[in-house]
Amino acid sequence: MKQRAEPEGGVLYLVGTPIGHLGDLSPRARALLIAVDTIACEDTRHSGQLLTALGSTARRCSFHQHNTQGRIPQFLEELGNGHSIAVISDAGLPGISDPGEDLVAAARQAGHAVICIPGPCAATTALVSSGLPSGRFCFEGFLPTKGRERRERLTAVVEEQRTTVLYEAPHRLVKLLEELQQLCGDQRALQVTRELTKRHEQQIGPTVIAALEHFQRHSPQGEFTLVLGGASEQEQTCLSDEQCLEQLSARIEQGMKPADAAKDLARIAGRSRRELYALLHAQQNQAD
Ligand code: SAM
């Protein structure tokens, strides 16, 4: 089938770039990055190496989380003037835990065509190689780093019955594994993928406890994507009194009132709020 000529004027292209292995840049992505008018790069210096190696002389323009709102009107004007723009991130697919989403929405709203030149994405690469169910899955990206928001998102993640994919920074990985172990127990299925497509690519699992024990022995280095098996109905109701008290104390230490902590935990522990509140009281009475 004859393909249309690319790039076309007035079109915004989202271009997937390698997440490690440079051989994963597609011929179509390469041709487009050479021929397009402007390339919006998450980091012009980082992408400069790839673009120079390709021989691309397209205008490079920074486009990251701190200048998104200022850049969008400029890019819309360029598109309106019939120029073509490619968006690339440091690695992988723009718009997946990377800049791109707001620009795509604005371009579509302004009536411009948006075309994705697909490429590697750590989330889907980790998912399909994990051995966990991939027919239905959720993507959570990076969890909030602390506070109530983190707790709520983690609670939702461990309750989720579909496979969930998460990104995490190396210095936070052990903390996340400890939290998952507290909330889902030892045996929940988990594959931690490290350095996908790179020389030292690794899969560490097959359970939360196996991954935790591994990273307690080997300090996490590199890039990580986690694939967590979904909760079974049985798992949602298996927290013991001791586990419930640990969970309640953690919530109270983070600033929740006891009644709110009981209400929050009741959603995942398979226990009623009243029962959890009574457990807390019994513990306090014992301590007095
Ligand atoms: N847009 C990218 C994509 O499509 O995969 C994701 C960008 S996000 C800012 C970066 C995170 O993706 C990393 O912190 C890590 O969690 C994950 N990641 C990226 N490259 C990876 C790799 N080669 N192996 C494992 N995880 C990776």
Side-chain angles (χ1 to χ4, degrees):
M1 193 175 66
K2 198 162 178 235
Q3 304 292 345
R4 58 211 263 182
E6 287 175 335
E8 285 184 74
V11 175
L12 177 70
Y13 293 91
L14 295 169
V15 183
T17 59
I19 55 171
H21 197 303
L22 292 181
D24 292 336
L25 185 78
S26 74
R28 182 181 173 203
R30 176 186 299 261
L32 192 110
L33 291 173
I34 291 171
V36 79
D37 293 314
T38 299
I39 304 180
C41 312
E42 184 180 7
D43 178 340
T44 48
R45 230 186 304 170
H46 177 96
S47 296
Q49 294 174 9
L50 174 76
L51 297 173
T52 302
L54 296 182
S56 168
T57 53
R59 187 172 84 90
R60 297 169 198 173
C61 194
S62 71
F63 180 56
H64 45 70
Q65 57 175 337
H66 303 296
N67 69 2
T68 299
Q69 294 315 319
R71 284 281 193 239
I72 287 176
Q74 297 169 12
F75 290 145
L76 292 183
E77 194 180 331
E78 268 195 66
L79 292 169
N81 290 335
H83 294 172
S84 53
I85 300 179
V87 182
I88 58 174
S89 65
D90 288 351
L93 265 190
I96 300 295
S97 298
D98 268 342
E101 182 181 341
D102 292 347
L103 176 58
V104 170
R108 284 207 172 279
Q109 208 171 1
H112 299 292
V114 179
I115 291 177
C116 179
I117 314 269
C121 172
T124 47
T125 307
L127 173 72
V128 297
S129 49
S130 69
L132 290 164
S134 57
R136 296 171 70 229
F137 68 94
C138 320
F139 174 65
E140 276 287 334
F142 293 99
L143 293 175
T145 51
K146 52 188 176 206
R148 189 187 179 118
E149 244 187 290
R150 179 178 179 86
R151 213 172 39 244
E152 285 177 357
R153 288 273 290 281
L154 258 173
T155 304
V157 164
V158 303
E159 276 184 85
E160 176 56 58
Q161 294 192 350
R162 291 168 293 179
T163 303
T164 296
V165 183
L166 297 149
Y167 289 156
E168 190 52 289
H171 63 282
R172 296 208 188 91
L173 181 69
V174 169
K175 178 176 175 241
L176 175 58
L177 294 174
E178 286 169 351
E179 288 168 316
L180 289 175
Q181 194 245 343
Q182 278 176 12
L183 288 169
C184 344
D186 291 351
Q187 297 309 321
R188 176 77 72 89
L190 176 74
Q191 284 292 340
V192 179
T193 59
R194 171 175 176 264
E195 298 286 80
L196 286 163
T197 78
K198 302 183 197 175
R199 183 198 287 246
H200 298 294
E201 172 164 349
Q202 254 185 318
Q203 298 259 349
I204 298 110
T207 56
V208 169
I209 192 69
L212 176 59
E213 285 175 359
H214 174 92
F215 288 109
Q216 282 168 337
R217 289 195 308 273
H218 305 95
S219 168
Q221 277 170 14
E223 297 198 273
F224 294 91
T225 298
L226 289 79
V227 185
L228 181 70
S232 63
E233 277 170 29
Q234 198 187 7
E235 263 179 298
Q236 290 183 313
T237 58
C238 75
L239 287 191
S240 65
D241 282 2
E242 200 180 49
Q243 287 170 322
C244 286
L245 283 168
E246 269 174 30
Q247 293 294 315
L248 289 166
S249 306
R251 284 165 170 74
I252 292 166
E253 270 165 32
Q254 285 173 9
M256 272 191 171
K257 291 187 185 140
D260 292 337
K263 185 175 167 195
D264 188 43
L265 186 62
R267 294 194 294 129
I268 59 161
R271 315 276 288 260
S272 73
R273 184 170 40 158
R274 191 181 296 222
E275 207 181 337
L276 293 170
Y277 202 56
L279 261 182
L280 259 182
H281 263 295
Q283 188 194 41
Q284 271 161 8
N285 288 342
Q286 269 180 359
D288 290 342

